[in-house]
């Protein structure tokens, strides 16, 4: 038996390598996706081998992740329950895709992941893997084994000579990638207590952010950000640059009491500095280039898109249909927005689109140049009121 395990380099999945090998008498291939997480992946390969993996594969998926997963979510304006920009859930279908590809290439009939039974991620991995290849078996060692505490996992690791590195003990469960960080568990589960300041991982507290604002212009081409302050950049560089700028100003923090797929509510905190700036800038540009009906209709689909991502339904017809809809509209999202970053907020100062602006100063202003037909406006108001008329008024 051969198992391809989604390997993060942390304690859970290091122990999982050994446990799967022993329990299923299997060859375990550790698959490690580099999605821009902060952990050092260079020693991960060594750790997986020390745990007994027959092979370790580390792949840099950052560009793919941004282009094929983060950009469609940006285009959709997707935020789960209006707040969560979905960095973790967007990464799961990509990891699932790669697990399937590696399994096929190495003749493995089983894949495994390190998610727990209470979380959304095990649902997302499972649904994505099933959608891609229903013939593959899916194992979730952390759900199956008896090692219920961090201490028991450490003891297991010591007993079997597994190198767990300098995995720092944190009371939180943290997941990071280039699009954002999520933090759960520990003190956060006491919802009557404010979020401890130490729980935030990458952003400065807004109250400690610089007194001086930073202005940056974001240029979009067909919905994709392509330059900052007129300097063209790869998507990855642009996101990393914005992450640096915005996190200094305390931008991108969200706390949410979220409705999990598995039914209960949990509290999570999320930091997505670059995504927050890009969502704000893109929404602002959209208000310039879309007519009212399109703008409102598109926005009404944002929450639905977020649900599909959150629920693990990435590989659904509805998600790809919504992507096609957003792609169709995105050609107009070409222009530049200047944003100001200041103490936790991002404000759009100006916006322009040479080709697609729908703003006509001659209609909007009250100057000499006004070309609006005022009498037509009055006639319009008369007709508009007709559906509200009743015999005697209200
Ligand atoms: N509640 C988040 C979600 O379902 C958590 C993602 C994983 N994050 C973590 N800290 N383990 O998307």
């Amino acid at each position: 038996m051969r198992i391809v395990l989604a390997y993060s380099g942390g304690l859970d999945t290091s122990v999982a390598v050994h446990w799967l090998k022993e329990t299923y008498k299997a060859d375990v291939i550790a698959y490690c996706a580099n999605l821009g997480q902060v952990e050092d992946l260079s020693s991960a390969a060594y750790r997986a081998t020390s745990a007994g993996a027959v092979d370790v594969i580390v792949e840099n998926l950052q560009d793919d992740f941004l282009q094929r997963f983060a950009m469609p979510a940006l285009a959709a304006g997707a935020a789960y329950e209006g707040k969560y920009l979905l960095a973790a859930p967007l990464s799961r279908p990509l990891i699932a895709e790669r697990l399937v590809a590696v399994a096929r290439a190495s003749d493995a009939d089983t894949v495994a992941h390190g998610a727990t039974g209470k979380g959304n991620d095990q649902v997302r991995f499972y649904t994505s893997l099933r959608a891609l290849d229903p013939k593959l078996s899916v194992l979730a060692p952390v759900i199956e084994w008896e090692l219920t505490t961090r201490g028991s996992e450490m003891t297991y690791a010591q007993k079997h000579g597994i190198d767990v590195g300098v995995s720092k003990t944190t009371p939180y469960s943290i997941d990071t990638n280039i699009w954002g960080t999520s933090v759960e568990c520990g003190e956060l589960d006491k919802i009557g207590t404010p979020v401890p300041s130490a729980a935030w991982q990458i952003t400065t507290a807004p109250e400690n952010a610089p007194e001086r604002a930073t202005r940056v212009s974001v240029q979009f081409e067909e919905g994709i950000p392509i330059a900052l302050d007129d300097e063209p950049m790869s998507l990855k560089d642009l996101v990393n640059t914005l992450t640096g700028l915005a996190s200094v100003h305390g931008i991108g923090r969200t706390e949410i009491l979220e409705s999990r797929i598995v039914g209960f509510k949990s509290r999570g905190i999320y930091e997505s500095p670059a995504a927050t700036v890009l969502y704000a800038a893109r929404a602002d540009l959209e208000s310039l280039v879309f007519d009212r009906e399109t703008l409102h209709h598109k926005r009404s689909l944002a929450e639905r898109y977020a649900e599909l991502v959150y629920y693990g339904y990435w590989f659904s017809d509805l998600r790809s249909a919504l992507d096609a809809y957003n792609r169709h509209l995105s050609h107009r999202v070409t222009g530049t927005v200047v944003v100001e970053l200041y103490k936790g907020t991002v404000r759009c100062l100006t916006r322009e689109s040479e080709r697609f602006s729908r703003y006509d100063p001659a209609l909007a202003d009250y100057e000499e140049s006004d070309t609006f037909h005022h009498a037509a406006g009055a006639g319009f108001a008369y007709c508009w009121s007709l559906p509200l008329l009743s015999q005697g008024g209200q």
Side-chain angles (χ1 to χ4, degrees):
M1 183 179 186
R2 237 158 208 263
I3 303 173
V4 182
L5 168 70
Y7 180 72
S8 72
L11 178 63
D12 282 348
T13 50
S14 295
V15 169
V17 171
H18 189 276
W19 188 86
L20 286 169
K21 182 180 157 193
E22 292 291 296
T23 310
Y24 292 94
K25 306 285 168 253
D27 285 345
V28 178
I29 298 169
Y31 175 79
C32 191
N34 173 0
L35 291 159
Q37 57 271 55
V38 283
E39 294 90 18
D40 174 20
L41 295 182
S42 54
S43 53
Y46 169 75
R47 284 204 295 284
T49 312
S50 88
V54 291
D55 196 4
V56 188
I57 300 168
V58 183
E59 280 182 342
N60 189 343
L61 304 180
Q62 292 181 68
D63 293 317
D64 211 12
F65 174 57
L66 288 174
Q67 275 153 22
R68 290 175 46 226
F69 296 84
M71 287 305 103
L74 171 67
Y80 185 64
E81 296 188 333
K83 286 182 157 182
Y84 173 29
L85 302 191
L86 303 161
L90 285 166
S91 72
R92 303 315 185 211
L94 175 56
I95 297 171
E97 235 178 54
R98 297 306 306 145
L99 287 176
V100 171
V102 172
R104 285 179 181 162
S106 53
D107 263 334
D109 58 2
T110 304
V111 291
H113 61 77
T116 70
K118 284 173 83 165
N120 295 318
D121 285 324
Q122 62 95 8
V123 182
R124 295 176 187 135
F125 278 127
Y126 186 79
T127 51
S128 297
L129 290 164
R130 294 264 301 159
L132 291 168
D133 190 343
K135 287 195 288 300
L136 280 176
S137 303
V138 181
L139 294 175
V142 177
I143 301 177
E144 287 178 51
W145 68 32
E146 315 272 88
L147 309 166
T148 47
T149 62
R150 194 181 161 83
S152 53
E153 287 183 26
M154 288 296 273
T155 312
Y156 183 100
Q158 266 150 18
K159 193 167 145 207
H160 297 98
I162 302 167
D163 183 337
V164 293
V166 280
S167 79
K168 69 170 186 276
T169 22
T170 154
Y172 303 111
S173 158
I174 302 169
D175 187 276
T176 300
N177 64 45
I178 187 170
W179 200 232
T181 292
S182 65
V183 187
E184 291 181 328
C185 306
E187 283 292 290
L188 296 174
D189 291 339
K190 299 180 189 146
I191 64 160
T193 308
V195 174
S197 47
W200 300 101
Q201 303 297 312
I202 56 170
T203 50
T204 306
E207 63 272 24
N208 299 330
E211 292 301 324
R212 271 177 71 92
T214 296
R215 281 184 189 184
V216 60
S217 78
V218 187
Q219 188 185 337
F220 289 88
E221 177 82 35
E222 304 203 344
I224 306 294
I226 56 158
L228 294 180
D229 286 338
D230 297 324
E231 195 184 318
M233 288 182 203
S234 71
L235 191 51
K236 186 173 141 216
D237 287 349
L238 188 143
V239 168
N240 282 329
T241 307
L242 267 187
T243 299
L245 287 175
S247 50
V248 168
H249 285 283
I251 287 161
R253 290 185 169 195
T254 302
E255 182 212 2
I256 167 174
L257 192 67
E258 77 196 51
S259 309
R260 280 202 188 173
I261 315 171
V262 287
F264 60 89
K265 303 267 185 188
S266 74
R267 188 202 223 179
I269 60 170
Y270 300 100
E271 295 166 279
S272 307
T276 300
V277 174
L278 293 173
Y279 268 60
R282 186 177 158 135
D284 196 80
L285 187 55
E286 287 184 1
S287 62
L288 177 69
V289 298
F290 289 155
D291 67 276
R292 182 184 62 208
E293 300 311 310
T294 303
L295 182 70
H296 294 185
H297 189 262
K298 178 181 180 295
R299 287 196 180 161
S300 76
L301 298 174
E303 185 71 44
R304 193 71 191 92
Y305 193 97
E307 285 170 355
L308 294 173
V309 173
Y310 189 90
Y311 294 168
Y313 284 164
W314 180 264
F315 296 107
S316 62
D317 283 345
L318 182 54
R319 195 274 309 159
S320 29
L322 292 176
D323 274 350
Y325 170 103
N326 289 320
R327 255 197 316 276
H328 177 79
L329 295 178
S330 284
H331 75 282
R332 288 185 191 278
V333 187
T334 295
T336 301
V337 180
V338 175
V339 297
E340 185 173 83
L341 315 177
Y342 182 65
K343 291 206 179 277
T345 52
V346 43
R347 234 163 26 104
C348 299
L349 301 182
T350 63
R351 72 286 301 158
E352 55 92 18
S353 172
E354 212 178 301
R355 288 183 55 206
F356 300 107
S357 172
R358 289 179 180 273
Y359 179 76
D360 182 350
L363 290 175
D365 71 20
Y366 285 85
E367 307 300 325
E368 293 286 298
S369 49
D370 184 356
T371 59
F372 187 79
H373 193 318
H374 288 248
F380 169 77
Y382 167 77
C383 298
W384 194 243
S385 74
L386 291 178
L388 304 184
L389 297 197
S390 63
Q391 292 271 303
Q394 290 187 7

